[in-house]
Amino acid sequence: MQSAADLKKTASQVRRDIIRMVTKAKSGHPGGSMSCADFLTALYFNVMDHNPATWTRDAKGQDAFILSAGHLTPVYYSLLSRSGYFPVDEMNTFRKFGTRLQGHPSVEKGLPGITQTSGSLGQGLSAAIGIALAKKLDKDSHVVYTMLGDGESEEGQIWEAGMFAAHHQVDNLIAMTDRNHQQIDGTTENVAGLGDLTAKWVAFGWDVIEADGHDMDAILDAFAKAKAKVGQGKPIMIMFNTEMGHGVDFMAGTHKWHGNAPSEEQCANAMTQLEETLGDF
């Protein structure tokens, strides 16, 4: 486990990895990867019970994570490699032909750490619920985590899954929403008017915790509160309030970096704003 101070340093390296991967590939999704980097770093390096040495896709005997917002692979691959699932220098192959590090996470090539193919938005929550129910059947006390985008939460399947999980008391599930208020075409408020997502999840029968997704102490506190609610009859949602592109001034707060790659010059600029803490690939 890492302290809050060390987690902040690790998250800075994760953001460097995100920018470098997308720049090298000349494609990818940096904005949302940057907004969720802090709380997913906390998840992988402090909260989740997982071990790369014994990991299997069925997630038996460990916690499981499903990236429902599957286009955010830059942050996912950085976390997996930095956690020891595959060599750090493999990030150089991101989105290249034949790579294990495809644009959306895939189980086709057997990349360690990937439990579920995702990227068709709206489906990951359903998959996570299925895995959580399987753990209950297996009498496995471990937790299933999943992360949704707020733009993704416009998908009807999210709410069908939400109703199902509450009805069937899937209380070994901790979902997270990256509430950065941006999606590919603009703000979530302008595109579909998401409104009060917290109130919606409460109305659907979930326990909901809100937290600042860039304050590491608040993030750790939110995860502690969520884990304390496991087994109490309700699925759990953590609403992390974040900023798209957080950490780099020219990317922050705009949907324009949802799926655009920085130039070499912009990448160099971003590197001056992010501390290198673990060594670049």
Side-chain angles (χ1 to χ4, degrees):
M1 293 176 63
Q2 294 186 4
S3 67
D6 287 339
L7 288 168
K8 290 178 184 177
K9 292 180 179 180
T10 301
S12 179
Q13 184 66 60
V14 168
R15 287 190 168 92
R16 289 178 69 92
D17 292 345
I18 291 165
I19 298 297
R20 289 167 57 81
M21 268 189 279
V22 175
T23 302
K24 285 173 178 281
K26 296 182 171 59
S27 67
H29 295 81
S33 293
M34 301 279 278
S35 63
C36 64
D38 292 313
F39 65 83
L40 289 185
T41 296
L43 178 70
Y44 265 83
F45 288 91
N46 185 289
V47 176
M48 194 164 66
D49 181 10
H50 65 115
N51 184 348
T54 58
W55 178 89
T56 54
R57 190 184 164 200
D58 62 17
K60 288 188 176 180
Q62 299 192 28
D63 291 341
F65 174 72
I66 305 298
L67 180 67
S68 188
H71 55 291
L72 303 183
T73 47
V75 66
Y76 198 15
Y77 294 150
S78 173
L79 290 166
L80 289 173
S81 64
R82 297 293 177 178
S83 296
Y85 284 88
F86 56 85
V88 168
D89 63 4
E90 191 171 353
M91 284 190 279
N92 282 300
T93 71
F94 175 64
R95 281 184 168 245
K96 291 187 176 179
F97 183 75
T99 182
R100 299 196 297 177
L101 277 59
Q102 297 180 35
H104 289 176
S106 172
V107 299
E108 176 190 359
K109 296 182 181 295
L111 183 67
I114 306 296
T115 296
Q116 177 70 30
T117 296
S118 61
S120 296
L121 294 181
Q123 297 181 2
L125 180 58
S126 297
I129 291 167
I131 295 167
L133 287 172
K135 284 190 174 295
K136 283 177 171 284
L137 290 171
D138 287 343
K139 302 190 184 310
D140 182 342
S141 62
H142 285 83
V143 177
V144 178
Y145 295 88
T146 186
M147 195 202 82
L148 321 177
D150 52 1
E152 178 187 12
S153 297
E154 295 164 7
E155 297 280 354
Q157 186 173 345
I158 292 291
W159 301 102
E160 294 175 51
M163 285 189 292
F164 180 93
H167 178 70
H168 291 280
Q169 298 183 327
V170 187
D171 55 5
N172 57 339
L173 172 69
I174 298 176
M176 298 155 273
T177 297
D178 182 24
R179 188 68 169 114
N180 61 33
H181 296 269
Q182 307 290 333
Q183 60 189 102
I184 189 169
D185 289 326
T187 68
T188 54
E189 282 63 38
N190 287 338
V191 173
L194 278 177
D196 189 338
L197 268 183
T198 294
K200 285 182 169 67
W201 282 107
V202 170
F204 270 65
W206 287 53
D207 262 331
V208 184
I209 298 160
E210 286 196 84
D212 182 338
H214 300 309
D215 181 322
M216 202 58 76
D217 289 320
I219 291 167
L220 293 175
D221 182 63
F223 277 123
K225 289 177 179 176
K227 291 178 77 172
K229 292 178 180 294
V230 169
Q232 294 187 7
K234 291 184 177 182
I236 302 134
M237 173 64 72
I238 309 177
M239 193 66 57
F240 282 117
N241 296 304
T242 64
E243 176 185 54
M244 178 76 91
H246 186 80
V248 174
D249 56 9
F250 63 85
M251 302 178 82
T254 173
H255 71 281
K256 294 180 180 178
W257 292 98
H258 170 89
N260 287 330
S263 66
E264 293 289 345
E265 293 75 18
Q266 289 170 322
C267 178
N269 181 357
M271 294 303 101
T272 67
Q273 301 180 47
L274 299 166
E275 182 184 4
E276 181 182 352
T277 59
L278 298 175
D280 290 330
F281 60 89

